Amino acid sequence: MRILITSASHDRSAALADHLASHHEVRLTERAHVETEYEFVLSALGHDRSTNLLTRGIDAIIHTAEPLPGEDVSSQLDAATRGTYNLLMAAAEEGVRQVILLGTLDLMADYPAGYRVDETWRPLPQTQPPTLTKHMAEQVSREFAREGSLDVRVLRLGEASDATVADAVVDALAQPASLAAQHRSKEEGARDPWLITHVGERPQ
Amino acid sequence: MKVLILGGAAMLGPYVARELAPNNNLRNTDIKPPEEDLPGEFFLLDASDLDGVDAAAACMDAIVNLSVLRRDRKTAWDVSTRGCYNMMQAAVTHGIDRVINTGPHYTVAGRHITEILDFGIVPDIPPQPGTNLYALTKAMGLEICRVFTEHHDISVQHYLFYNFKAPAAIQPGERYAPYVISWENSAEAFTLGLDIDLDALPSRNEVFYVFADMPHGKFSNEKTKRILGFKPRKDVENLWK
């Protein structure tokens, strides 16, 4: 499988690349140059042909939607919304089968301690990053799934090791994408194009 | 009341300014100069400029956001999404508790449900804009506003429109959208929104469909009439008569 991982400057993206590279072809991208042993494409995730080329030939995207170091709130919001939109629009146009969005379980931190909060509960973002930006990236991605143009898996990461996160990503990749969404059957066994999974412990 | 208007030089801006001017002090802003004189102050301002929006909101009692750029991806996200963040952040900073935001009808009811299948479409549904650029960027702006109202004592009224008409220009037999209002009638909603007791609103984040009474029943403006006291004019009926 050919996998594109965004936010290459982040440790989590690098750790995922290391984990996945033994069984997959990995391409990394970032909005600034990053030194890496893997294929790297510098991309601003803009509305232009370069974003289509970034996603061309890719089977799955792991979109981490992380800020650049020192980035102000407005730029973080721009990257999480417009950047995600451009990436997913290009992915849909290029026939990418699956998107895995790495979110945060911080979105559920405001529920009282001890509650058994699951993926069906409403997220409770703050008005600042990271919860606001992660929430907005989810919201943008959800509309692609709603329209059936992409299969989107959201992994909301809590307190979890890199190994646990990598296992969750591998599990998500192993699920056959229910692609050709326009032909998707609603009969038993058909998968929904939008699925959220909580990974690790919820911050409380 | 001292009112900051974002996007005041856009199409709806002059109508809103003329409607509000007799009873309010207006600070009009836009990224471009107005094509006609607007009552009140005017400043050039890009809604995506956080510092600029913050400065413009100083000493204001309310913010009306009419800004819209719908076609170019960069500016659409800048204005419709980041612009809402900037507006809400400025409202927090300056203690402004009344905001009126605007957008298209499909901010909440995307084209996949509004244009083909359904009738009696009300504004109080979970937003499902789809990936249409204009709808999605405005929906994300609405969501940012909602999140802010969960954490701050700010009430946001979202007025959603579809198609505006100048009644005198309506041609016999012309095609029309299933959700129409005259420019002047739409502006009247903003007076209601500035006057309403915020405690009379069901929540701090409320969505309203603002349009004329139309006989086909595609959309519902009942909530707007019931809560805001909106009075639809009968000035676009030549569209279907």
Side-chain angles (χ1 to χ4, degrees):
Chain A
M1 187 179 283
R2 287 160 293 183
I3 299 172
L4 173 67
I5 305 175
T6 65
S7 301
S9 63
H10 277 257
D11 291 345
R12 176 144 282 152
S13 296
L16 279 172
D18 289 341
H19 190 91
L20 296 171
S22 57
H23 293 92
H24 304 281
E25 292 180 39
V26 171
R27 175 185 296 172
L28 289 165
T29 187
E30 180 59 280
R31 292 176 286 136
H33 183 73
V34 173
E35 290 292 336
T36 172
E37 64 185 282
Y38 305 107
E39 180 188 3
F40 175 79
V41 178
L42 177 67
S43 174
L45 300 182
H47 178 202
D48 56 50
R49 186 166 174 267
S50 69
T51 309
N52 283 70
L53 293 176
L54 175 71
T55 59
R56 189 163 296 169
I58 293 294
D59 297 304
I61 297 173
I62 301 170
H63 183 36
T64 60
E66 295 287 355
L68 290 170
E71 202 167 34
D72 63 29
V73 174
S74 188
S75 297
Q76 291 186 47
L77 192 58
D78 183 48
T81 54
R82 184 176 62 89
T84 297
Y85 182 78
N86 287 337
L87 175 68
L88 268 56
M89 191 62 81
E93 291 168 355
E94 297 297 332
V96 173
R97 301 175 60 202
Q98 188 176 15
V99 173
I100 297 172
L101 175 67
L102 299 189
T104 177
L105 257 176
D106 287 345
L107 284 168
M108 317 308 261
D110 278 358
Y111 284 110
Y115 279 29
R116 294 186 298 115
V117 177
D118 69 18
E119 293 85 348
T120 65
W121 292 42
R122 187 175 201 165
L124 303 175
Q126 301 295 313
T127 60
Q128 297 290 321
T131 56
L132 180 63
T133 45
K134 288 287 191 180
H135 176 63
M136 299 309 292
E138 281 193 16
Q139 295 282 300
V140 171
S141 304
R142 187 183 62 178
E143 296 310 307
F144 286 86
R146 188 193 304 281
E147 290 186 345
S149 54
L150 286 170
D151 265 49
V152 181
R153 300 283 172 268
V154 179
L155 303 180
R156 289 198 188 126
L157 307 180
E159 296 169 11
S161 67
D162 283 346
T164 299
V165 173
D167 287 345
V169 168
V170 169
D171 284 349
L173 289 170
Q175 298 168 16
S178 57
L179 228 235
Q182 60 271 37
H183 302 306
R184 180 180 295 111
S185 167
K186 288 297 182 187
E187 296 174 2
E188 187 177 355
R191 291 175 354 107
D192 288 325
W194 173 252
L195 183 68
I196 300 170
T197 303
H198 289 179
V199 179
E201 293 297 315
R202 176 173 71 94
Q204 299 181 31
Chain B
M1 189 176 289
K2 288 173 285 187
V3 183
L4 169 64
I5 300 180
L6 303 173
M11 297 173 71
L12 183 55
Y15 295 94
V16 174
R18 284 195 291 270
E19 164 71 19
L20 298 182
N23 298 304
N24 300 281
N25 294 319
L26 304 184
R27 178 174 290 171
N28 297 285
T29 66
D30 206 307
I31 197 169
K32 61 180 182 182
E35 295 180 356
E36 58 185 282
D37 286 341
L38 298 175
E41 302 175 284
F42 179 83
F43 296 109
L44 287 175
L45 175 66
D46 181 348
S48 67
D49 172 10
L50 174 58
D51 293 337
V53 173
D54 180 79
C59 304
M60 294 288 108
D61 301 307
I63 303 176
V64 172
N65 183 18
L66 306 176
S67 60
V68 56
L69 283 165
R70 67 185 77 175
R71 291 187 177 86
D72 176 77
R73 278 196 203 170
K74 178 72 168 67
T75 52
W77 286 102
D78 281 352
V79 169
S80 299
T81 303
R82 281 205 290 176
C84 276
Y85 174 83
N86 296 343
M87 172 179 69
M88 297 305 290
Q89 195 64 59
V92 171
T93 299
H94 297 288
I96 297 168
D97 64 356
R98 185 183 300 264
V99 172
I100 300 176
N101 188 41
T102 58
H105 67 293
Y106 49 23
T107 298
V108 293
R111 283 178 164 153
H112 57 292
I113 61 172
T114 61
E115 300 295 331
I116 301 171
L117 298 175
D118 299 306
F119 292 94
I121 301 166
V122 296
D124 290 330
I125 60 174
Q128 37 199 293
T131 62
N132 173 278
L133 181 64
Y134 186 27
L136 183 57
T137 54
K138 282 290 185 178
M140 294 302 99
L142 188 153
E143 177 66 4
I144 287 170
C145 291
R146 186 193 68 78
V147 171
F148 269 82
T149 63
E150 294 285 331
H151 295 276
H152 298 281
D153 188 16
I154 304 173
S155 286
V156 184
Q157 302 167 59
H158 303 273
Y159 293 173
L160 304 189
F161 301 98
Y162 191 159
N163 187 239
F164 298 98
K165 291 289 185 189
I170 292 175
Q171 298 297 311
E174 76 172 65
R175 293 175 61 85
Y176 59 96
Y179 182 140
V180 176
I181 192 168
S182 68
W183 293 102
E184 290 82 0
N185 198 185
S186 65
E188 291 165 351
F190 293 83
T191 289
L192 301 171
L194 292 181
D195 288 348
I196 193 171
D197 180 355
L198 295 179
D199 291 334
L201 295 169
S203 77
R204 290 204 293 250
N205 189 73
E206 288 293 329
V207 182
F208 298 94
Y209 285 162
V210 184
F211 66 102
D213 286 334
M214 301 181 76
H216 49 59
K218 189 76 171 168
F219 291 88
S220 170
N221 60 5
E222 182 276 333
K223 176 185 176 184
T224 310
K225 293 189 286 189
R226 172 170 45 87
I227 295 178
L228 293 183
F230 179 66
K231 306 288 188 199
R233 296 187 188 184
K234 297 183 182 299
D235 56 358
V236 294
E237 293 187 344
N238 283 345
L239 288 169
W240 57 85
K241 285 184 174 176

PDB file of all heavy atoms in Angstrom, chain A residues 101-123:
ATOM      1  N   LEU A 101      -7.606  10.217   9.866  1.00  0.00           N
ATOM      2  CA  LEU A 101      -7.349  11.515  10.506  1.00  0.00           C
ATOM      3  C   LEU A 101      -6.986  11.260  11.960  1.00  0.00           C
ATOM      4  O   LEU A 101      -7.751  10.632  12.696  1.00  0.00           O
ATOM      5  CB  LEU A 101      -8.584  12.400  10.405  1.00  0.00           C
ATOM      6  CG  LEU A 101      -8.522  13.753  11.116  1.00  0.00           C
ATOM      7  CD1 LEU A 101      -7.495  14.671  10.453  1.00  0.00           C
ATOM      8  CD2 LEU A 101      -9.896  14.413  11.123  1.00  0.00           C
ATOM      9  N   LEU A 102      -5.830  11.749  12.352  1.00  0.00           N
ATOM     10  CA  LEU A 102      -5.431  11.603  13.753  1.00  0.00           C
ATOM     11  C   LEU A 102      -5.928  12.804  14.547  1.00  0.00           C
ATOM     12  O   LEU A 102      -5.447  13.924  14.375  1.00  0.00           O
ATOM     13  CB  LEU A 102      -3.910  11.472  13.870  1.00  0.00           C
ATOM     14  CG  LEU A 102      -3.285  10.266  13.165  1.00  0.00           C
ATOM     15  CD1 LEU A 102      -1.811  10.135  13.555  1.00  0.00           C
ATOM     16  CD2 LEU A 102      -4.033   8.971  13.489  1.00  0.00           C
ATOM     17  N   GLY A 103      -6.920  12.565  15.372  1.00  0.00           N
ATOM     18  CA  GLY A 103      -7.498  13.608  16.200  1.00  0.00           C
ATOM     19  C   GLY A 103      -6.997  13.511  17.629  1.00  0.00           C
ATOM     20  O   GLY A 103      -5.949  12.909  17.906  1.00  0.00           O
ATOM     21  N   THR A 104      -7.747  14.104  18.519  1.00  0.00           N
ATOM     22  CA  THR A 104      -7.326  14.093  19.919  1.00  0.00           C
ATOM     23  C   THR A 104      -8.495  13.785  20.855  1.00  0.00           C
ATOM     24  O   THR A 104      -9.603  14.304  20.677  1.00  0.00           O
ATOM     25  CB  THR A 104      -6.683  15.430  20.329  1.00  0.00           C
ATOM     26  OG1 THR A 104      -6.359  15.382  21.717  1.00  0.00           O
ATOM     27  CG2 THR A 104      -7.612  16.612  20.098  1.00  0.00           C
ATOM     28  N   LEU A 105      -8.210  12.965  21.840  1.00  0.00           N
ATOM     29  CA  LEU A 105      -9.209  12.669  22.869  1.00  0.00           C
ATOM     30  C   LEU A 105      -9.360  13.823  23.864  1.00  0.00           C
ATOM     31  O   LEU A 105     -10.257  13.788  24.710  1.00  0.00           O
ATOM     32  CB  LEU A 105      -8.835  11.378  23.607  1.00  0.00           C
ATOM     33  CG  LEU A 105      -9.626  10.135  23.215  1.00  0.00           C
ATOM     34  CD1 LEU A 105      -9.080   8.907  23.943  1.00  0.00           C
ATOM     35  CD2 LEU A 105     -11.103  10.309  23.512  1.00  0.00           C
ATOM     36  N   ASP A 106      -8.504  14.828  23.724  1.00  0.00           N
ATOM     37  CA  ASP A 106      -8.710  16.040  24.533  1.00  0.00           C
ATOM     38  C   ASP A 106     -10.093  16.640  24.268  1.00  0.00           C
ATOM     39  O   ASP A 106     -10.616  17.387  25.100  1.00  0.00           O
ATOM     40  CB  ASP A 106      -7.641  17.093  24.213  1.00  0.00           C
ATOM     41  CG  ASP A 106      -6.280  16.732  24.788  1.00  0.00           C
ATOM     42  OD1 ASP A 106      -6.220  15.831  25.655  1.00  0.00           O
ATOM     43  OD2 ASP A 106      -5.291  17.333  24.352  1.00  0.00           O
ATOM     44  N   LEU A 107     -10.656  16.324  23.112  1.00  0.00           N
ATOM     45  CA  LEU A 107     -11.994  16.818  22.793  1.00  0.00           C
ATOM     46  C   LEU A 107     -13.045  16.328  23.781  1.00  0.00           C
ATOM     47  O   LEU A 107     -14.132  16.904  23.864  1.00  0.00           O
ATOM     48  CB  LEU A 107     -12.388  16.368  21.376  1.00  0.00           C
ATOM     49  CG  LEU A 107     -11.740  17.138  20.224  1.00  0.00           C
ATOM     50  CD1 LEU A 107     -11.976  16.416  18.899  1.00  0.00           C
ATOM     51  CD2 LEU A 107     -12.299  18.546  20.174  1.00  0.00           C
ATOM     52  N   MET A 108     -12.750  15.265  24.496  1.00  0.00           N
ATOM     53  CA  MET A 108     -13.726  14.709  25.426  1.00  0.00           C
ATOM     54  C   MET A 108     -13.318  14.934  26.887  1.00  0.00           C
ATOM     55  O   MET A 108     -13.946  14.404  27.801  1.00  0.00           O
ATOM     56  CB  MET A 108     -13.888  13.199  25.181  1.00  0.00           C
ATOM     57  CG  MET A 108     -13.967  12.812  23.703  1.00  0.00           C
ATOM     58  SD  MET A 108     -15.216  13.741  22.801  1.00  0.00           S
ATOM     59  CE  MET A 108     -16.572  12.600  22.770  1.00  0.00           C
ATOM     60  N   ALA A 109     -12.288  15.742  27.074  1.00  0.00           N
ATOM     61  CA  ALA A 109     -11.740  15.900  28.428  1.00  0.00           C
ATOM     62  C   ALA A 109     -12.683  16.611  29.378  1.00  0.00           C
ATOM     63  O   ALA A 109     -12.576  16.457  30.601  1.00  0.00           O
ATOM     64  CB  ALA A 109     -10.401  16.650  28.358  1.00  0.00           C
ATOM     65  N   ASP A 110     -13.605  17.402  28.860  1.00  0.00           N
ATOM     66  CA  ASP A 110     -14.485  18.173  29.741  1.00  0.00           C
ATOM     67  C   ASP A 110     -15.653  17.369  30.289  1.00  0.00           C
ATOM     68  O   ASP A 110     -16.415  17.887  31.129  1.00  0.00           O
ATOM     69  CB  ASP A 110     -15.012  19.418  29.011  1.00  0.00           C
ATOM     70  CG  ASP A 110     -14.000  20.555  29.032  1.00  0.00           C
ATOM     71  OD1 ASP A 110     -12.925  20.378  29.646  1.00  0.00           O
ATOM     72  OD2 ASP A 110     -14.278  21.609  28.439  1.00  0.00           O
ATOM     73  N   TYR A 111     -15.835  16.152  29.807  1.00  0.00           N
ATOM     74  CA  TYR A 111     -16.851  15.317  30.441  1.00  0.00           C
ATOM     75  C   TYR A 111     -16.341  14.893  31.822  1.00  0.00           C
ATOM     76  O   TYR A 111     -15.141  14.704  32.029  1.00  0.00           O
ATOM     77  CB  TYR A 111     -17.146  14.086  29.587  1.00  0.00           C
ATOM     78  CG  TYR A 111     -18.006  14.406  28.374  1.00  0.00           C
ATOM     79  CD1 TYR A 111     -17.481  14.369  27.094  1.00  0.00           C
ATOM     80  CD2 TYR A 111     -19.340  14.767  28.527  1.00  0.00           C
ATOM     81  CE1 TYR A 111     -18.264  14.670  25.987  1.00  0.00           C
ATOM     82  CE2 TYR A 111     -20.128  15.073  27.424  1.00  0.00           C
ATOM     83  CZ  TYR A 111     -19.593  15.014  26.162  1.00  0.00           C
ATOM     84  OH  TYR A 111     -20.378  15.336  25.078  1.00  0.00           O
ATOM     85  N   PRO A 112     -17.251  14.751  32.768  1.00  0.00           N
ATOM     86  CA  PRO A 112     -16.807  14.433  34.131  1.00  0.00           C
ATOM     87  C   PRO A 112     -15.974  13.158  34.205  1.00  0.00           C
ATOM     88  O   PRO A 112     -16.210  12.203  33.447  1.00  0.00           O
ATOM     89  CB  PRO A 112     -18.137  14.266  34.888  1.00  0.00           C
ATOM     90  CG  PRO A 112     -19.116  15.098  34.130  1.00  0.00           C
ATOM     91  CD  PRO A 112     -18.713  14.959  32.687  1.00  0.00           C
ATOM     92  N   ALA A 113     -15.028  13.199  35.104  1.00  0.00           N
ATOM     93  CA  ALA A 113     -14.203  12.007  35.331  1.00  0.00           C
ATOM     94  C   ALA A 113     -15.103  10.845  35.728  1.00  0.00           C
ATOM     95  O   ALA A 113     -16.085  11.015  36.456  1.00  0.00           O
ATOM     96  CB  ALA A 113     -13.175  12.293  36.415  1.00  0.00           C
ATOM     97  N   GLY A 114     -14.768   9.682  35.241  1.00  0.00           N
ATOM     98  CA  GLY A 114     -15.535   8.502  35.593  1.00  0.00           C
ATOM     99  C   GLY A 114     -16.641   8.159  34.613  1.00  0.00           C
ATOM    100  O   GLY A 114     -17.169   7.059  34.641  1.00  0.00           O
ATOM    101  N   TYR A 115     -17.002   9.102  33.766  1.00  0.00           N
ATOM    102  CA  TYR A 115     -18.022   8.807  32.756  1.00  0.00           C
ATOM    103  C   TYR A 115     -17.422   7.880  31.689  1.00  0.00           C
ATOM    104  O   TYR A 115     -16.268   8.035  31.310  1.00  0.00           O
ATOM    105  CB  TYR A 115     -18.519  10.088  32.091  1.00  0.00           C
ATOM    106  CG  TYR A 115     -19.562  10.857  32.865  1.00  0.00           C
ATOM    107  CD1 TYR A 115     -19.626  10.809  34.248  1.00  0.00           C
ATOM    108  CD2 TYR A 115     -20.476  11.664  32.193  1.00  0.00           C
ATOM    109  CE1 TYR A 115     -20.582  11.530  34.943  1.00  0.00           C
ATOM    110  CE2 TYR A 115     -21.437  12.391  32.881  1.00  0.00           C
ATOM    111  CZ  TYR A 115     -21.486  12.324  34.255  1.00  0.00           C
ATOM    112  OH  TYR A 115     -22.417  13.039  34.946  1.00  0.00           O
ATOM    113  N   ARG A 116     -18.243   6.980  31.211  1.00  0.00           N
ATOM    114  CA  ARG A 116     -17.799   6.084  30.139  1.00  0.00           C
ATOM    115  C   ARG A 116     -18.115   6.764  28.793  1.00  0.00           C
ATOM    116  O   ARG A 116     -19.123   6.507  28.168  1.00  0.00           O
ATOM    117  CB  ARG A 116     -18.475   4.719  30.256  1.00  0.00           C
ATOM    118  CG  ARG A 116     -18.053   3.960  31.503  1.00  0.00           C
ATOM    119  CD  ARG A 116     -18.596   2.543  31.552  1.00  0.00           C
ATOM    120  NE  ARG A 116     -20.056   2.525  31.575  1.00  0.00           N
ATOM    121  CZ  ARG A 116     -20.814   2.023  30.613  1.00  0.00           C
ATOM    122  NH1 ARG A 116     -20.257   1.510  29.534  1.00  0.00           N
ATOM    123  NH2 ARG A 116     -22.125   2.042  30.724  1.00  0.00           N
ATOM    124  N   VAL A 117     -17.219   7.632  28.400  1.00  0.00           N
ATOM    125  CA  VAL A 117     -17.413   8.427  27.178  1.00  0.00           C
ATOM    126  C   VAL A 117     -16.967   7.604  25.973  1.00  0.00           C
ATOM    127  O   VAL A 117     -15.865   7.061  25.964  1.00  0.00           O
ATOM    128  CB  VAL A 117     -16.585   9.729  27.250  1.00  0.00           C
ATOM    129  CG1 VAL A 117     -16.706  10.525  25.961  1.00  0.00           C
ATOM    130  CG2 VAL A 117     -17.017  10.557  28.455  1.00  0.00           C
ATOM    131  N   ASP A 118     -17.827   7.517  24.984  1.00  0.00           N
ATOM    132  CA  ASP A 118     -17.417   6.795  23.778  1.00  0.00           C
ATOM    133  C   ASP A 118     -17.542   7.679  22.536  1.00  0.00           C
ATOM    134  O   ASP A 118     -17.814   8.885  22.633  1.00  0.00           O
ATOM    135  CB  ASP A 118     -18.183   5.475  23.632  1.00  0.00           C
ATOM    136  CG  ASP A 118     -19.658   5.677  23.324  1.00  0.00           C
ATOM    137  OD1 ASP A 118     -20.043   6.779  22.887  1.00  0.00           O
ATOM    138  OD2 ASP A 118     -20.434   4.714  23.517  1.00  0.00           O
ATOM    139  N   GLU A 119     -17.362   7.054  21.390  1.00  0.00           N
ATOM    140  CA  GLU A 119     -17.265   7.793  20.130  1.00  0.00           C
ATOM    141  C   GLU A 119     -18.582   8.437  19.708  1.00  0.00           C
ATOM    142  O   GLU A 119     -18.608   9.256  18.787  1.00  0.00           O
ATOM    143  CB  GLU A 119     -16.764   6.862  19.021  1.00  0.00           C
ATOM    144  CG  GLU A 119     -15.326   6.383  19.188  1.00  0.00           C
ATOM    145  CD  GLU A 119     -15.192   5.155  20.080  1.00  0.00           C
ATOM    146  OE1 GLU A 119     -16.181   4.796  20.764  1.00  0.00           O
ATOM    147  OE2 GLU A 119     -14.097   4.572  20.095  1.00  0.00           O
ATOM    148  N   THR A 120     -19.677   8.042  20.329  1.00  0.00           N
ATOM    149  CA  THR A 120     -20.970   8.608  19.946  1.00  0.00           C
ATOM    150  C   THR A 120     -21.260   9.923  20.674  1.00  0.00           C
ATOM    151  O   THR A 120     -22.258  10.571  20.378  1.00  0.00           O
ATOM    152  CB  THR A 120     -22.111   7.622  20.238  1.00  0.00           C
ATOM    153  OG1 THR A 120     -22.195   7.418  21.653  1.00  0.00           O
ATOM    154  CG2 THR A 120     -21.881   6.287  19.541  1.00  0.00           C
ATOM    155  N   TRP A 121     -20.408  10.295  21.620  1.00  0.00           N
ATOM    156  CA  TRP A 121     -20.644  11.510  22.398  1.00  0.00           C
ATOM    157  C   TRP A 121     -20.156  12.734  21.635  1.00  0.00           C
ATOM    158  O   TRP A 121     -19.194  12.656  20.867  1.00  0.00           O
ATOM    159  CB  TRP A 121     -19.930  11.429  23.756  1.00  0.00           C
ATOM    160  CG  TRP A 121     -20.503  10.407  24.687  1.00  0.00           C
ATOM    161  CD1 TRP A 121     -20.917   9.151  24.365  1.00  0.00           C
ATOM    162  CD2 TRP A 121     -20.716  10.551  26.090  1.00  0.00           C
ATOM    163  NE1 TRP A 121     -21.373   8.499  25.483  1.00  0.00           N
ATOM    164  CE2 TRP A 121     -21.268   9.346  26.557  1.00  0.00           C
ATOM    165  CE3 TRP A 121     -20.487  11.579  27.004  1.00  0.00           C
ATOM    166  CZ2 TRP A 121     -21.600   9.135  27.888  1.00  0.00           C
ATOM    167  CZ3 TRP A 121     -20.813  11.377  28.337  1.00  0.00           C
ATOM    168  CH2 TRP A 121     -21.373  10.163  28.777  1.00  0.00           C
ATOM    169  N   ARG A 122     -20.807  13.841  21.916  1.00  0.00           N
ATOM    170  CA  ARG A 122     -20.450  15.078  21.220  1.00  0.00           C
ATOM    171  C   ARG A 122     -19.102  15.603  21.715  1.00  0.00           C
ATOM    172  O   ARG A 122     -18.882  15.711  22.922  1.00  0.00           O
ATOM    173  CB  ARG A 122     -21.517  16.142  21.477  1.00  0.00           C
ATOM    174  CG  ARG A 122     -21.331  17.412  20.662  1.00  0.00           C
ATOM    175  CD  ARG A 122     -22.480  18.378  20.871  1.00  0.00           C
ATOM    176  NE  ARG A 122     -22.559  19.329  19.768  1.00  0.00           N
ATOM    177  CZ  ARG A 122     -23.599  20.109  19.515  1.00  0.00           C
ATOM    178  NH1 ARG A 122     -24.664  20.060  20.304  1.00  0.00           N
ATOM    179  NH2 ARG A 122     -23.606  20.932  18.495  1.00  0.00           N
ATOM    180  N   PRO A 123     -18.217  15.961  20.791  1.00  0.00           N
ATOM    181  CA  PRO A 123     -16.942  16.536  21.222  1.00  0.00           C
ATOM    182  C   PRO A 123     -17.139  17.920  21.845  1.00  0.00           C
ATOM    183  O   PRO A 123     -18.060  18.653  21.486  1.00  0.00           O
ATOM    184  CB  PRO A 123     -16.125  16.619  19.928  1.00  0.00           C
ATOM    185  CG  PRO A 123     -17.113  16.529  18.825  1.00  0.00           C
ATOM    186  CD  PRO A 123     -18.302  15.772  19.334  1.00  0.00           C
TER     187      PRO A 123
END
